Amino acid sequence: MRTKSLPLLLILFFISTIVFSQQAVVKGVILNEENQPVVGASVSHGDEGTLSDFNGYYLMEIPANEDVTLTFSHVGNKKIEVTLNLGANEDYELNPVMSTNIEQIATVVISGRERKRIEGITTISPEAIRKIPGANAGVENLLKSLPGVNSNNELSTQYAVRGGNYDENLVYVNEIEVYRPFLIRSGQQEGLSFVNSDLTSNVDFSAGGFQAKYGDKLSSVLDITYRRPADFSATADLSLLGASVSAGGISNDGRLTGIVGLRYRDNSLLVDAKQTETNFRPRFADAQTYLTYKVSNKFELGFLGNVSINSYDYEPLTRQTNFGTIADPVALLVFYEGQEQDRYNTYFGAFKGTYVASENYTAKFIASAYQTTEQEYYDILAEYRLGEVNTNIGDEDLGEVEFTEGIGGQLTHARNDLDALIFNAEHKGTVTLEENTIEYGVKYTHEDIRDRVQEYEIIDSAGFSIRPPIADFANNQPYEPFTSPIVPYTTIRAQNDVQIDRVSGYAQWSRRTSLGSNDVWLNAGVRAHNWNVSGDGIESTSQTVFSPRGQVSLKPDWDMDMLFRLSGGLYHQPPFYRELRDSTGTVRPDVKAQQSIHIVLGNDYSFDLWGRPFRLNSELYYKSLSDVNPYTLENVRIRYRANNNAVAYAYGLDARLAGEFVPGTESWVSFGYLKTEENIDDRGYIFRPTDQRLKFAVLFQDYVKIIPDLKMYLNLVYNTGLPGGSPSYADPYDYQVRLPDYKRADLGVSYVIVNDKKLRDNGFLKPFKELTIGAEIFNIFDVQNSITNTFVRDVYTKVQYSIPNYLTPRVFNVRLTAKF
């Protein structure tokens, strides 16, 4: 029976093969003008059709060997029609880009850019991030040109926002929260930021008043989206500071996409130019990937992975710093022995599942693990001479120390180790009901930290060991015998084993409505956070906080494009491990969450100038803070007092004018005014460590009109001086000295050899989609900016001198970028 039916089956199979072979397949990703996927776009021909999924991906069979007109349509975008004639069984990829339909007025559609404008979010071009010069180029380098974002250290990727500190900023990559190392003390130790600019497709930033869907921090949110490749591409960036390469692609069936980036950085070029002569080997490297796999048209699985290895070997030799006045110059000459060996290795992995149950409900599931192993070992003996400088012009000893006024020594020692493991599990959902959007989420976090702190410092001057400034004894040597035990100037010894469990969640509601002829957008939400601190020798302690927040945006029915926004609420920052550890290294589990009542009034005004688009953004803000955890700030190391014994406030004005000052390029000018003070133990208000009063910044892009491929990029920042010109041990009420103003300008010049308008058909340049060569000058005016002071004593006059620790001088760099 089976033998007789075999010919019939073969005939049927042959007929079906012929029938189905007369079909072809069209597939691809539908994008908008912002290079984001268009969800729910209609793809049709005749009576047949399909919709793009949440990745913008579509797949459709069409008749072969005949003209077929495909129509792409989506509410709020212009319709696209494409006529194809494909061969039998041909698999054709078509990735259309839909533009906004500015003529459609029957239905008002909120685009992604308009929605961010309503929420008070600043969007930064990833292309500008990759091109703008900076000693530590990347996302954070460009953030520092925005109003309200301050940093006085070009070697650091850390930034302070509106009076907050470095620990008060949230960072997300594809909705996954990321972390930074704990023990970093200096900007030159940081190396690479987590965010890889080569993989970035979208950068959103909020400086305050953000919605409840974002986490529990007091100051800002940086929300990064990594790109989803539509075809194979690769990039390379080479300079004297290091190299980075990236590649991305998509599988033939469109289900699997992936990008990977490798980076290597060596800061020797910057540090070798500083005032301290060293044997220095700073090496930073990382590998990062983001993969997505479409299990079905409704479910997608993503993976974000990162491995970072940072090595900092430092052997100082000598240092000479000249300071004082022209009439009375003074020099500090230091001879060093010893070395420092630091390691910061981090490992991060996260899975993200997205399930589109219907066009009205989307669920997301995120699980991540982060581990950091850090060591900070150093033994450095510094022997110094403090004296007068030879100022005789023409003398062969010009600039040398002629007469020694003081001598002394300093021995610093550390054996610090930290091993932190952090797990997260999170569920988020979005429900859309007509004009209403409801978002919710719940998250569990477990933090396991093993920490050993062993530090001491011994200071000697003219043969006498200097005692701690807080010691409760009198020292009248050599006139009276000194019988107290010899102790270090400063010492910290602690060993901590801490576990922190957190459960947090949020729910928020958004709605678009109208008030007369004016458009109104409403948002209200609340967050809740419970955490429990326990560990070896630590009494288990639990606390809970609630944070209601809201936003109202109004777009008047005026001829001018004007938007007003009022946002704010109650913000809490439950303590992370560093905030629980006081200046002696002791963990205090009962530290409360810092609390801030935050109010922001914003205005966005879009207009045309010289026939080109411009936008003026301005925001007034006020913060009232309670349960403040005071801290000291030295370079980028923060040490908390861990006792919630202060209140504080911050207020200011931020303004940014952005637009095409030069046709076809975006530039901006920023201005910020800030005042922030704190009252510790009811002793009166003093400056907070991040009281950056004035800030001016210019980011400017230009090109030579007759040679448009010759381009120029300027990044200019001016910040008034921060408080901090005092010893870290000092009572801040006794020292309210400010550091000098921070002034810096970085210049980049590049020439485009190949781009999409200058593709080469043959020769060695044929593989390149883009090829650019350029030069960069960091700190073009060679301004001597300082980040901290070193304090030494003159044994004869008993004067204590503050010696500035200068940042990088003028440095030259060359750079080559390529895309394939």
Side-chain angles (χ1 to χ4, degrees), residues 41-305:
S42 173
V43 186
S44 62
H45 78 90
D47 296 330
E48 302 293 328
T50 186
L51 296 175
S52 61
D53 64 13
F54 51 82
N55 298 319
Y57 180 81
Y58 74 96
L59 185 146
M60 188 173 187
E61 289 187 344
I62 62 173
N65 300 314
E66 63 178 85
D67 291 338
V68 175
T69 300
L70 283 180
T71 301
F72 298 85
S73 61
H74 185 261
V75 176
N77 291 283
K78 291 183 179 180
K79 182 171 62 177
I80 299 175
E81 292 186 349
V82 179
T83 301
L84 301 173
N85 191 322
L86 304 180
N89 295 322
E90 185 174 350
D91 197 343
Y92 184 78
E93 182 174 322
L94 178 63
N95 302 310
V97 178
M98 306 190 78
S99 59
T100 303
N101 186 354
I102 59 175
E103 299 175 355
Q104 181 175 355
I105 59 176
T107 303
V108 178
V109 178
I110 306 302
S111 66
R113 184 177 295 274
E114 186 72 9
R115 182 178 297 109
K116 295 168 187 176
R117 183 186 180 196
I118 292 165
E119 295 177 4
I121 292 175
T122 300
T123 299
I124 302 174
S125 164
E127 198 64 25
I129 292 170
R130 290 186 275 268
K131 291 180 178 179
I132 300 302
N136 212 333
V139 173
E140 295 84 358
N141 178 54
L142 213 61
L143 284 183
K144 295 171 185 179
S145 68
L146 298 178
V149 183
N150 298 305
S151 174
N152 283 29
N153 190 343
E154 65 273 4
L155 291 176
S156 173
T157 60
Q158 304 307 312
Y159 51 90
V161 179
R162 293 180 176 174
N165 67 33
Y166 305 140
D167 292 335
E168 296 180 11
N169 306 308
L170 285 162
V171 180
Y172 294 97
V173 174
N174 288 58
E175 300 183 271
I176 301 165
E177 185 175 358
V178 298
Y179 304 89
R180 68 184 183 95
F182 290 73
L183 298 182
I184 299 288
R185 293 179 297 112
S186 167
Q188 64 190 33
Q189 298 173 358
E190 285 189 37
L192 298 163
S193 161
F194 183 95
V195 180
N196 188 329
S197 302
D198 294 336
L199 310 184
T200 301
S201 68
N202 191 70
V203 178
D204 294 334
F205 179 76
S206 174
F210 43 86
Q211 297 180 356
K213 64 182 178 181
Y214 294 113
D216 297 288
K217 297 284 187 179
L218 293 182
S219 292
S220 74
V221 174
L222 177 62
D223 194 358
I224 306 291
T225 303
Y226 277 179
R227 59 186 173 88
R228 188 188 304 272
D231 54 12
F232 175 79
S233 63
T235 66
D237 191 323
L238 310 175
S239 78
L240 298 179
L241 289 170
S244 66
V245 294
S246 68
I250 185 170
S251 63
N252 290 333
D253 60 4
R255 290 185 176 274
L256 176 65
T257 69
I259 52 175
V260 62
L262 304 175
R263 294 183 293 176
Y264 174 80
R265 183 176 175 86
D266 188 332
N267 276 350
S268 298
L269 178 69
L270 297 170
V271 180
D272 288 345
K274 296 179 69 175
Q275 59 188 338
T276 304
E277 182 184 349
T278 66
N279 289 326
F280 188 69
R281 297 188 64 196
R283 293 156 295 165
F284 314 109
D286 80 341
Q288 199 163 142
T289 185
Y290 184 66
L291 309 173
T292 63
Y293 181 73
K294 189 171 62 175
V295 180
S296 68
N297 285 335
K298 290 191 174 184
F299 182 70
E300 179 187 83
L301 184 64
F303 172 75
L304 175 66

Side-chain angles (χ1 to χ4, degrees), residues 624-642:
S624 176
L625 297 101
S626 57
D627 292 326
V628 172
N629 193 346
Y631 61 90
T632 60
L633 178 62
E634 183 179 6
N635 205 311
V636 298
R637 179 165 67 173
I638 298 174
R639 280 188 166 164
Y640 293 92
R641 299 183 188 273

Side-chain angles (χ1 to χ4, degrees), residues 761-819:
D761 296 329
N762 50 52
F764 74 96
L765 296 176
K766 182 179 179 180
F768 294 96
K769 295 180 181 178
E770 181 179 314
L771 181 63
T772 303
I773 187 170
E776 297 174 329
I777 307 176
F778 305 136
N779 195 3
I780 58 178
F781 301 115
D782 201 22
V783 177
Q784 285 191 318
N785 294 307
S786 60
I787 184 62
T788 55
N789 287 329
T790 296
F791 291 84
V792 298
R793 177 185 297 194
D794 176 1
V795 70
Y796 297 106
T797 64
K798 308 301 182 184
V799 173
Q800 184 169 251
Y801 291 94
S802 59
I803 315 300
N805 296 313
Y806 293 119
L807 291 164
T808 57
R810 183 189 297 119
V811 175
F812 296 87
N813 186 33
V814 293
R815 187 177 178 187
L816 176 71
T817 60
K819 291 183 180 179

